[in-house]
Amino acid sequence: MSPPLLGVEEEVQSSVSSPSVECISENGMGLKERNYLGLSDCSSVDSSGVSSNLNLATELRLGLPGSQSPERETEFCLLNLGKLDEKPLFPLLPSKDGICSSSQKNVVTGNKRGFSDTMDGFSEVKGYVYTEKSWMFHEAGSDSESPQSVGHGKYPGNSGVNVILSTRSPGVQASVKQDEPANVLQEQPRATNGTSLKQTVISNNTTGAPAAKAQVVGWPPIRPFRTKTLAASSKNNDEVDGKPGPGAVFVKVSMDGAPYLRKVDLRTYSTYQELSSALEKMFSCFTLGQCGSHGTAGKEILSESRLKDLLHGSEYVVTYKDKDGDWMLVGDVPWEMFIETCKRLKIMKSSDAIGLGNYLVSRTLPKNLLEQWRNPRPTTKKNLDMGANFLMPNPNQTDNSEVKSVGCVVESERSYHVSSHL
Amino acid sequence: MNMNYFPDEVVEHVFDFITSHKDRNSVSLVCKSWYKIERYSRQRVFIGNCYSITPQRLIARFPGLKSLTLKGKPHFADFNLVPHDWGGFVYPWIKALAKSRIGLEELRLKRMVVSDDSLELLSKSFPNFKSLVLVSCEGFTTDGVAAIAANCRFLRELDLQENEVEDHRGHWLSCFPESCTSLVSLNFACLKGEINLASLERLVARSPNLKSLRLNRVVPLDTLQKLLMRAPQLVDLGIGSYVDDPSSEVFSKLKAVIQLCNSIRSLSGFLEVAPCCMSAIYPICENLTFLNLSYAPGLQGNDLTKLVQHCRKLQRLWILDCIGDKGLGVVASTCKELQELRVFPSDPFDAENAAVTEEGLVLISAGCPKLNSLLYFCHQMTNAALITVAKNCTNFIRFRLCILDPVKADPVTNQPLDEGFGAIVRSNKSLKRLSLSGLLTDQVFLYIGMYAKKLEMLSIAFAGDSNKGMLYVLNGCKKLRKLEIRDCPFGDVALLQDMGKYETMRSLWMSSCEVTLGACKTLAKKMPSLNVEIINESEKLESEQLELSFDDRLLVDKMYLYRTLVGDRKDAPEYVWLL
């Protein structure tokens, strides 16, 4: 079981990485160390003395106070360093399903997504994860930074975001009273060796950035009023920022082969990525027919034939007409400048768009698309390959070497998919 | 010459000069005659825990009461650790006061449950009512606010701070009668709903004494401009929405009128903000003593830095951590009068983009010699930094450090932060309030017990190794009034060691510790002057299981105990067990 899974780990390192995995299999993996939960170094199994005393498990009772996110992803991570040797901690594994779900029944109350939901849809959870990370923009307030692509920095949550399930130490302090009410309190733990805090970590999405760290009820000690207000303000400000002034900028959007045009207000987006996804949503009905392999449930997003299609340019590109009347490839200039100069949008087949930009000719894939392939979203139908249709060059995108790695990615993705069925 | 030779009126006149609650309380204990004189002349009463006394006894003792301050829920209720219906209802107080002949003029509530009915009753029962201040309260809607506006003819102050108010989008603002011209302070920043802007303008126009105005997010910039035209005498301004095109005419008008507002000393809000408009504010920055930008996530680090550079006279600064360490450096070199700094996290769960670290704090400590109050959220802290801060600042009264990671050690040395906090308490002898965080062992409590002799309030989370920690504190901190502990390995031994201590304190909160039900019962039994409450709201137990849970060995999830003169309260919900 291990090799393919660990192999997966390698490939999806920016997404599925967990301190515990790193702890165990640090050497061959090339995984990054993360200072998860502020434990000093969990880079080795025999973790530093400081953390050896800490069985971190703060019971999660409720999610983030004031969190408004309606679709909270829930992931579980239990760090139990003291027990590393006895009970192997593995990253998210289907085979651990049974163990996890039973232990997890004890855990979360108040979590809006009932825990069993997440456990049942194992890949669902992951899908959630990946959705957040690779795909969609986040209004983390710093849209001016490079659009999503590889999860550096932008998704601080990476280390924690991915689910690590291990067997729970017994007697975790109970906040879930549904199943074992009275007895639970009695099981309240506190190992007698020094500070023993057990932390159950659930990552949660707040206003935008995926949450990385443990979320404990009432921590950090911030009034919910403040959190809510900040969240609301952030949302509003994202609409405000980047606008030199008020007023919508509506431009027509046409697509080859589509019977009618649409109009979009460019001011409602703040990055190319947002625009891209919005366009995909708008025009998805026209593209579904094109790409044969979707329509089936997400697992086969990356069949080989699909990949070939993409590579050979049966994709679409987004172009725009600027003030001077020239047709340009979208994505070259900074967003603000683009809004000011764009008069009209057109989605054309990349085969028609040859000559508009080098990248098509060289068949490289923009970083964001690569990222999407590395982090498939196996479930939600909405995500069926939309992004793949619209290639927008990432202004920061560089070289041609992407192609090769794409091939590798697909390979391991497949094994990943296979294993997730186990 | 003995004061008893003076007639009562003279003594009373002397007492008029004694305004602090503590002093007046002390004065009343000197002798019977002073007790009597003091109680008849007392106008302002502060009750830190609404369950420590009943309204009837309050009324009986202080018939001349004009101003009442009440606090309800324990502090940790701010962090969702206390269920909403736990208690703290103000209605019985208002009802009792209304029945009596008390001429209430001012009511200040914190963390209490306030219903619309209470507000209505309040508004109708006290003809001279002047001032209502609600902080972190809940349970009311804008209908209640409307009642206050409509019925309090001489209202001077309506100050709503950080309350959860259900907004019915009614016309509460229009309920101020045309005859109401007495407003001095109006703060509705926490309301979320629409208001009638024209009514607001008219209200401000007919309030010549208005000194403090804090708007909510729906008040746009052009209304702000009109309001400032009407009220250039404002001392405290809270801006709602601050978004416009800098080239617009409205904006130029705003710039012009702001130049006239040279009394503004306190600025807050910016709930919605376009950074490019901030330059209009610079003229008033020179005179500001209080700047609160903690609700303005639309301002990035360099916007904040640019603004702060103009604020040379700043004494209190509340800001988001996106100002960054560098920005704090600018604060340190600009704001030499700074006394209070609060740095809030803009994104508490984003560890990678840590905006402020120990460096910012060190810079502030080096640059601001008058610093005495700190609330600092950061992602990491080192012992070295804290020791440096302790060297630089010896005037701290409040020191609250929150490292967002609950048990994070010093990232450089991997040591607990005991030495750092130890240095803080050792060098700040006037420290009254301390909040700890990070990785901490019993050692830090030893230091606190040894050095923090004036400490009144201590907040502890995820700290300590054993009962000794708590004992060091209970034994050493003679002035301790409020102790709140969560997720620490303190148990029965610590709890029961010195039960009399709790009578000298206002309250003790312990949650997710190792205290058993049996110990709580023992404590409750031995100390009748204490109310010991166990909160089991997460249980939702069935009745059969309830019996099981009466086992004394059960670890208690949340315990809240407080001294009281009036025994168990009658309004506790089911899941709160009063032992």
Side-chain angles (χ1 to χ4, degrees), chain B residues 31 81 118 127 138 146 153 233 301 309 381 412 441 474 477-478 493:
Chain B
C31 62
L81 289 176
S118 334
E138 57 180 348
R153 298 192 311 154
Q233 77 282 4
Q309 275 169 336
M381 184 54 57
V412 173
T441 71
L474 290 175
C477 300
K478 303 293 182 201
V493 168

Side-chain angles (χ1 to χ4, degrees), chain B residues 94 105-109 114 119 122 129-134 144-145 148 155-160 185:
Chain B
I94 298 182
E105 294 183 12
E106 177 177 290
L107 186 62
R108 310 165 75 95
L109 305 177
V114 180
L119 290 176
L122 177 70
F129 193 76
K130 297 200 171 72
S131 167
L132 180 64
V133 179
L134 302 178
V145 180
I148 297 285
L155 194 68
R156 288 202 205 145
E157 181 177 21
L158 177 58
D159 186 355
L160 307 174
S185 164

